[in-house]
Structure formats: C-alpha cells, structure tokens
Amino acid sequence: DFGWHDFHASGYGSYSGDVFLPFGHTRWSINMIAFKSEDVTDAVPDDLAADDEKELSVVHPARLEKRSCAVGKALAVHFSYSKQDEGLVANTALLERYEQLSLTLEKLDSL
C-alpha cells in the first residue's frame, strides 16, 4: 500500500503553439482506471480516437484543472472483452471467484 500517488502534483505540461506537450511523468496507463461519467463528458472525441491514454490521463485533467491519482491499496480485475463475456460466464466461475477474493481481502483489510 503506497497510499495515493498524485500524477499531476507538479503540473501537467505546456503548450508548443496549439500542441499540448505533457510532462513525461504525468502520463499513465489507462489499462485499469475508474472514473465517473460526468468526469469525461468534456473529453474531446477526436483526441480520444487519436490517443485515448494521453487525452484521459493528462490533457483532459489539465483542461478541467483536476488531478489524477493512483490508489495503492486497490484491487482491480479485468474480466473480459465483450466477445468473451458469454463464454466466460457460461463456462467459468470467475466472477464469483473475483467476488470471493474481494470479500476476503476486505475482511483482511479491516483487521
């Protein structure tokens, strides 16, 4: 558990003409992210199509003057891509196993 890590504590980057250049340490992987829908309603669709990671991890937060952070004590699971759902639900107990794991970890955390 490393607590919270603020990716934007020292800023976001700067503009070179019309192009936003993020600081190298402000961009982060969006493989496992959580946000509320209202936090991304202003995201620019063309920028998402061009580089979704840059738009969601740096440019959009800078535009809103909000910070992004990593939570060091979190459990994240990626269950499937849409085409895999039916087979995984029908042929595995992964969702139930993930739920049991999260409940077990939650109990351990409360000790």
Side-chain angles (χ1 to χ4, degrees), residues 28 32-36 39:
W28 46 277
M32 289 287 181
I33 61 172
F35 51 83
K36 295 178 180 176
D39 290 334

Side-chain angles (χ1 to χ4, degrees), residues 71-106:
V71 180
K73 197 172 192 178
L75 172 66
V77 176
H78 184 274
F79 178 62
S80 72
Y81 294 98
S82 60
K83 295 179 181 180
Q84 300 168 325
D85 285 351
E86 187 177 324
L88 287 171
V89 169
N91 298 298
T92 73
L94 283 175
L95 289 178
E96 293 83 5
R97 292 173 64 195
Y98 289 149
E99 179 182 28
Q100 189 57 50
L101 175 60
S102 71
L103 293 171
T104 300
L105 292 174
E106 186 177 47

